[in-house]
Amino acid sequence: MINKGFNQAFLDELIEKNDIVSVISKYVTLTRRGSNYWACCPFHMEKTPSMSIKEDGQFFKCFGCGEAGNVISFVRKIEDVDFVKAVEILAKNAGMKMPEDDNEDIRKKKYERDRMLSVLKATSDYYIDNLKTVEANNHIDYIRKRGLSDEMVTKFKIGASVDFYGLIKHLRKLGFTEKEMIDSGVAGKNEQSGLLYDFYGTRLIFPIINGLGEVVGFSGRDISNDPQRAKYKNTPQTLVFNKSQ
């Protein structure tokens, strides 16, 4: 049997090797009650847990919003990805190899997503390295003023954009295209000059990281106190980042 381009035997093994309780516990806090686990549903606002996770049946059900399904369904929803990417995420988690795929559309989408994640990872690394330079002294001063420890800066991968064009030059050297930079949300384009610029230029950078440790976006905090600049600038909607979630 084929399901979304995958052999059913592969999907059965994937689900078996990704215990739903273990996977969901990476995203929300679970409490055991009887034979089931319960949690506040991450798909709608609530104060009292209404999502039940059944370990022996390997499925979840929210009695508040109605969301339900298996571990693939949960990852699709929580990470806002399609079926193929959810399978890829779970295969990586279980140490399984993805089967060869002859579907050109699936291969293309996977390539685009992987490239975008690579742009975002390279950008995050660049910002982190910037924070170690003298050009980031103002960013460091701001960090100290707000009481952030070195441990917090490291843990949350906080970085610095120190100008408007260094990132563009860096990403070009790594082989990323103009379209990839813009589509990833890390670059903007000046309509008059046609030049690309760092979308978060000169800001303190906070990466947005999903449950798998992948950088999917950024929030840049202005440190200039310029009333003409927005206090925060955030990643727009992209292939890997859903602003509403």
Side-chain angles (χ1 to χ4, degrees):
M1 179 178 176
I2 302 299
N3 191 332
K4 300 284 187 178
F6 295 101
N7 186 282
Q8 189 61 44
F10 169 80
L11 294 178
D12 290 343
E13 182 182 359
L14 182 82
I15 293 170
E16 181 181 350
K17 289 185 176 180
N18 281 280
D19 175 63
I20 195 168
V21 172
S22 176
V23 171
I24 294 181
S25 68
K26 294 179 181 179
Y27 298 91
V28 295
T29 300
L30 304 183
T31 301
R32 183 154 198 166
R33 279 194 248 147
S35 61
N36 296 343
Y37 289 84
W38 292 81
C40 286
C41 179
F43 307 128
H44 75 286
M45 297 295 293
E46 64 176 11
K47 295 181 179 180
T48 304
S50 65
M51 187 173 78
S52 175
I53 302 95
K54 196 169 181 62
E55 189 171 29
D56 56 0
Q58 288 294 297
F59 67 87
F60 75 95
K61 166 73 176 180
C62 177
F63 294 94
C65 68
E67 287 290 340
N70 62 15
V71 68
I72 300 176
S73 307
F74 181 85
V75 171
R76 285 188 70 179
K77 181 72 176 177
I78 195 75
E79 292 292 349
D80 188 37
V81 294
D82 60 18
F83 186 91
V84 175
K85 182 58 183 179
V87 168
E88 183 184 342
I89 289 169
L90 290 169
K92 182 178 180 181
N93 186 59
M96 294 174 61
K97 288 185 177 181
M98 289 284 285
E100 292 297 325
D101 199 332
D102 294 326
N103 188 305
E104 181 63 29
D105 289 338
I106 291 177
R107 282 205 306 269
K108 182 180 179 181
K109 183 174 287 189
K110 181 179 183 301
Y111 175 79
E112 290 175 353
R113 183 182 178 86
D114 288 346
R115 288 289 290 180
M116 186 171 289
L117 289 173
S118 295
V119 171
L120 293 163
K121 174 66 165 57
T123 299
S124 178
D125 290 344
Y126 175 79
Y127 288 146
I128 290 171
D129 288 340
N130 275 351
L131 201 58
K132 304 169 187 175
T133 67
V134 295
E135 287 83 0
N137 284 344
N138 289 338
H139 299 74
I140 295 295
D141 289 343
Y142 182 82
I143 286 172
R144 297 292 175 248
K145 184 174 72 174
R146 296 303 298 265
L148 300 181
S149 67
D150 291 342
E151 290 75 18
M152 291 173 71
V153 170
T154 299
K155 178 179 180 180
F156 293 102
K157 301 181 187 298
I158 297 172
S161 170
V162 297
D163 56 34
F164 282 89
Y165 301 105
L167 173 67
I168 307 304
K169 184 178 180 180
H170 176 72
L171 293 177
R172 278 186 173 139
K173 281 185 178 179
L174 295 178
F176 295 113
T177 67
E178 176 179 303
K179 185 177 186 303
E180 287 173 333
M181 288 184 238
I182 294 174
D183 288 349
S184 300
V186 303
K189 190 171 186 177
N190 187 297
E191 293 183 3
Q192 294 181 333
S193 67
L195 294 176
L196 289 191
Y197 60 88
D198 183 343
F199 188 73
Y200 310 97
T202 71
R203 295 171 180 268
L204 185 67
I205 308 298
F206 299 86
I208 300 168
I209 301 171
N210 66 16
L212 302 165
E214 298 169 329
V215 178
V216 294
F218 298 96
S219 184
R221 175 55 156 97
D222 178 51
I223 60 172
S224 70
N225 294 319
D226 181 349
Q228 300 300 314
R229 299 191 82 195
K231 184 178 290 186
Y232 283 96
K233 198 170 186 181
N234 304 309
T235 293
Q237 186 93 0
T238 71
L239 181 64
V240 300
F241 180 63
N242 186 327
K243 293 182 70 175
S244 66
Q245 296 185 352

